[in-house]
Amino acid sequence: MKISIVIPVYNSHEYLRECVGSITGQTFRDVEVLLVDDGSTDNSGAICDELAKEDSRVTTIHKENGGTSSARNEGIACVTGDYLTFCDNDDFLRDDECLLRVAAYLEKHPVDVLMHDNCTYDDPIKAIVPPRETHLADKVAELGKGNAILSIISHGVIARAVWDKVVRTSLVRDNGIVFPEGMRNEDTDWSASVLEYAQSVGWVDDPYYCYRKGHTYAQTAKPVTRAMTDDLAIIIRKHMATIDTLGLAGADAQAIRAYLAYPFIVWMGQTSSIGACRKDDKISFEMSEIAPSIFAAHEDPSVAKAALAYRFLGFWGTAKLLGIAFQQRQKAAGRHK
């Protein structure tokens, strides 16, 4: 079994060697690293070439800058592994036996999608902050796809990020699953697609991926724009329609709606915060029409309060409340910078 890891690279010379070294140093050797240099303007591209010379399992692809989605799509097209996953160019794997444990699970349970949690690496204090422990692997292994996803969601550990999923390569290619280019929330879209097309999912109680926070190159929160919220609305409506297109039913359909519940309340809060969630707005009205089925399916603890508010305040009242909460959160974040 070969595992391919796609790493989009852009101006990350400070962390790139640590990132790649955490993968090539794994005791599991049948790994492929695809470094997609997305038009870096520092010496990241040169470092990629050096890393490829040092280890034959590393391949460098140079391209004009096109964004993370474009770089990931380029990497996926070149993957030769049985399974693929992703790593951001400033993150790393926690220890040198991570992929050995992943491969052992997949040998025993050859699922289409294997999910896991992640640690946070606090860059200023140089410390790994683990998440709370999970004990889900055995339970999830006994469940069909829909109920397995619902179990993961109900425990509050589902993520939209793509680096917490190891996915069968043929699933991605056979179903033409790509990242939408020129849009935000691309991880939400791609992850939804793999969960829709997958026939089986698994979970490992192993938060081996370390997400780096607090460094100067980290992506900072950008002001919310109408284009951003419209992108998220497009993604949510797309996958609500896909449920019907693929004929998903029962727990499989409920799982996708439950997965979309958190992005849905994010859309409500962000759109309301910029005054764009209005009854005379076409997109807002369309989103209000799918709200009942979204909230009826929710299993995510982070959606519980919004679902309760929806019962008493309806769509427009809940959107207003979420908009206020989002504005307060943004102000608090600004004070702590």
Side-chain angles (χ1 to χ4, degrees):
M1 178 194 301
K2 181 191 286 187
I3 298 175
S4 298
I5 302 181
V6 176
I7 306 177
V9 176
Y10 184 75
N11 291 359
S12 186
H13 67 277
E14 185 175 351
Y15 302 106
L16 190 53
R17 282 191 173 278
E18 179 185 7
C19 171
V20 176
S22 75
I23 300 168
T24 56
Q26 292 286 307
T27 55
F28 178 77
R29 306 303 293 169
D30 201 1
V31 63
E32 171 184 58
V33 179
L34 293 149
L35 299 174
V36 186
D37 172 30
D38 191 34
S40 295
T41 57
D42 64 0
N43 65 334
S44 294
I47 295 173
C48 288
D49 290 336
E50 291 171 7
L51 291 167
K53 288 180 181 178
E54 293 167 6
D55 193 318
S56 62
R57 298 172 300 165
V58 178
T59 299
T60 295
I61 302 163
H62 296 284
K63 62 182 290 295
E64 292 184 1
N65 181 256
T68 301
S69 288
S70 172
R72 286 173 173 166
N73 288 337
E74 190 85 16
I76 290 172
C78 299
V79 159
T80 63
D82 303 289
Y83 283 87
L84 65 86
T85 187
F86 302 89
C87 186
D88 285 353
N89 59 192
D90 51 355
D91 297 338
F92 59 94
L93 305 189
R94 186 175 184 177
D95 64 76
D96 61 8
E97 294 191 345
C98 303
L99 296 184
L100 187 65
R101 296 192 295 270
V102 168
Y105 182 94
L106 290 172
E107 290 287 358
K108 185 177 180 180
H109 307 283
V111 294
D112 286 339
V113 182
L114 179 62
M115 291 183 275
H116 55 87
D117 208 343
N118 67 277
C119 297
T120 299
Y121 182 74
D122 191 325
D123 202 60
I125 64 172
K126 309 301 180 187
I128 293 175
V129 182
R132 64 183 174 86
E133 290 186 6
T134 59
H135 303 280
L136 292 173
D138 291 342
K139 177 182 178 181
V140 168
E142 296 174 352
L143 300 172
K145 181 188 85 168
N147 286 318
I149 296 171
L150 288 169
S151 178
I152 294 167
I153 292 174
S154 68
H155 283 83
V157 290
I158 194 75
R160 281 82 201 166
V162 296
W163 32 252
D164 79 333
K165 299 170 184 70
V166 183
V167 183
R168 191 185 300 277
T169 302
S170 59
L171 174 78
V172 175
R173 289 188 172 150
D174 291 350
N175 295 291
I177 301 172
V178 297
F179 288 90
E181 298 184 22
M183 293 179 69
R184 294 291 295 268
N185 298 290
E186 65 275 6
D187 283 27
T188 298
D189 179 67
W190 196 88
S191 294
S193 292
V194 299
L195 293 178
E196 287 158 355
Y197 283 100
Q199 296 300 308
S200 55
V201 302
W203 176 268
V204 286
D205 298 303
D206 189 356
Y208 65 82
Y209 186 96
C210 289
Y211 169 66
R212 190 186 302 267
K213 293 183 68 174
H215 61 91
T216 55
Y217 299 103
Q219 184 181 35
T220 55
K222 295 181 179 180
V224 175
T225 65
R226 181 61 192 261
M228 288 169 55
T229 62
D230 283 356
D231 282 349
L232 186 52
I234 289 169
I235 289 168
I236 292 168
R237 287 182 295 161
K238 166 189 170 181
H239 292 288
M240 288 294 287
T242 300
I243 293 171
D244 295 329
T245 302
L246 295 181
L248 301 180
D252 290 352
Q254 185 183 354
I256 301 304
R257 295 189 189 101
Y259 169 87
L260 294 171
Y262 183 73
F264 188 84
I265 67 168
V266 169
W267 176 88
M268 290 176 74
Q270 290 183 339
T271 308
S272 178
S273 74
I274 59 174
C277 190
R278 305 185 310 270
K279 293 181 180 179
D280 62 348
D281 177 71
K282 183 175 182 291
I283 293 177
S284 299
F285 180 76
E286 291 173 349
M287 293 292 274
S288 74
E289 290 190 312
I290 64 175
S293 58
I294 290 278
F295 282 117
H298 98 85
E299 296 280 345
D300 195 330
S302 62
V303 181
K305 290 182 180 178
L308 181 62
Y310 178 77
R311 286 178 56 192
F312 294 98
L313 302 176
F315 177 81
W316 305 105
T318 303
K320 184 175 181 179
L321 196 64
L322 289 170
I324 294 170
F326 181 80
Q327 289 173 334
Q328 291 176 340
R329 183 177 177 181
Q330 291 295 93
K331 288 179 182 178
R335 288 195 299 267
H336 288 89
K337 282 184 179 179

